[in-house]
Amino acid sequence: MMRLIFLGLPGAGKGTQSERISKIFNIPQISTGDILRENVKKGTEIGKKAKSYMDEGKLVPDSIIIDMIKERLSANDCSEGYILDGFPRNIDQAKALETFSKIDKVIFIDVPTDVLIERLTGRRTCRKCKAVYHIKYNPPKNPDVCDLCGGELFQRDDDKVEVVQKRIDTYNSKTKPLIDYYKKKNILIIIDGNRNIDEITTDIEKKVKGN
Ligand code: AMP
């Protein structure tokens, strides 16, 4: 059983790394941001409620997020474990999570703030398969087309520079306290996220296995 949480500032590489670790250990990657964006796209009730918060770089209300994640974790594919990417985002969410799931390890990907702005504003995502690129550090062969599936690449609304600063502020005030919270529970693993993507994956894999 492997129930993992990935923590880090927006742009630290949570999405990229959790996707890779998900394949290595064959457990699903559950991104609350992806689920929310999917809901916004489809125009569901959740999507309508969440959109204005997301556009402003604020957290979506806990009541919406907690119900959403509780339901997702009850699905069959979570029986051997999962990776939570982007949840919990504050102490109340962490406490709610404890009422319906145990957590084995928390991976904090540590990256200095100045590196993040460049990373986020250069990020491009595939509309179809959700693959993530960076115009400078991990460029696709063709700037608008996904190498993997041929889908269209786009810049997330909240990766635009004004919203990025707001998301960093939100992280510092709401999410950062989780680092101490999980450190005290002795399940925190700190990973230096200012290295190349492969090195970081190898390091996480090793530390999750416990060596
Ligand atoms: P992300 O892709 O994880 O950066 O999430 C994008 C946006 O979705 C965030 O800026 C929030 O507005 C919202 N969001 C994602 N996960 C959560 C969460 N656990 N709690 C509240 N809001 C969230």
Side-chain angles (χ1 to χ4, degrees):
M1 194 64 158
M2 196 177 284
R3 290 153 299 199
L4 308 176
I5 291 173
F6 276 54
L7 281 183
L9 272 150
K14 286 191 305 290
T16 304
Q17 294 298 336
S18 55
E19 192 193 328
R20 289 166 154 233
I21 296 296
S22 140
K23 289 196 179 112
I24 293 172
F25 292 108
N26 199 24
I27 49 177
Q29 169 202 14
I30 299 170
S31 156
T32 41
D34 281 349
I35 300 174
L36 288 170
R37 279 185 288 279
E38 199 60 34
N39 275 278
V40 170
K41 202 168 101 189
K42 289 187 184 148
T44 67
E45 276 312 304
I46 289 182
K48 282 183 204 152
K49 286 184 193 148
K51 189 172 186 315
S52 60
Y53 298 95
M54 296 171 77
D55 286 346
E56 289 175 39
K58 290 184 184 159
L59 294 183
V60 171
D62 289 347
S63 55
I64 298 176
I65 296 287
I66 291 164
D67 284 350
M68 203 176 85
I69 204 86
K70 195 170 177 180
E71 190 190 320
R72 179 65 188 85
L73 295 188
S74 67
N76 282 338
D77 66 336
C78 293
S79 61
E80 297 299 314
Y82 43 79
I83 297 175
L84 296 178
D85 161 15
F87 179 91
R89 283 281 235 280
N90 60 31
I91 300 277
D92 284 344
Q93 291 183 8
K95 288 191 168 151
L97 173 64
E98 280 158 27
T99 67
F100 52 86
S101 174
K102 191 181 173 302
I103 293 300
D104 299 299
K105 284 184 173 124
V106 178
I107 320 293
F108 169 53
I109 308 183
D110 194 12
V111 178
T113 315
D114 51 328
V115 180
L116 294 171
I117 308 228
E118 194 195 12
R119 278 202 192 174
L120 283 174
T121 51
R123 175 156 79 177
R124 299 292 181 271
T125 309
C126 174
R127 270 194 210 285
K128 224 159 109 192
C129 77
K130 308 274 184 297
V132 179
Y133 298 87
H134 190 282
I135 50 173
K136 191 161 149 199
Y137 300 115
N138 177 25
K141 289 194 189 81
N142 178 323
D144 306 314
V145 182
C146 178
D147 290 349
L148 299 176
C149 77
E152 181 203 355
L153 300 182
F154 75 109
Q155 181 177 40
R156 281 168 45 174
D157 284 340
D158 60 354
D159 281 345
K160 308 218 157 107
V161 71
E162 324 76 69
V163 188
V164 164
Q165 188 55 53
K166 188 76 201 38
R167 289 167 68 206
I168 291 176
D169 295 345
T170 301
Y171 173 91
N172 283 327
S173 61
K174 304 274 166 50
T175 310
K176 208 171 171 188
L178 288 174
I179 296 170
D180 252 2
Y181 183 82
Y182 288 119
K183 195 187 269 172
K184 289 195 181 113
K185 292 186 186 286
N186 279 320
I187 52 174
L188 186 75
I189 298 172
I190 299 174
I191 299 285
D192 172 6
N194 198 14
R195 295 177 289 170
N196 79 50
I197 296 180
D198 287 339
E199 246 179 276
I200 299 170
T201 308
T202 309
D203 193 18
I204 297 176
E205 184 185 356
K206 214 172 80 186
K207 292 196 170 126
V208 165
K209 283 178 178 160
N211 52 30

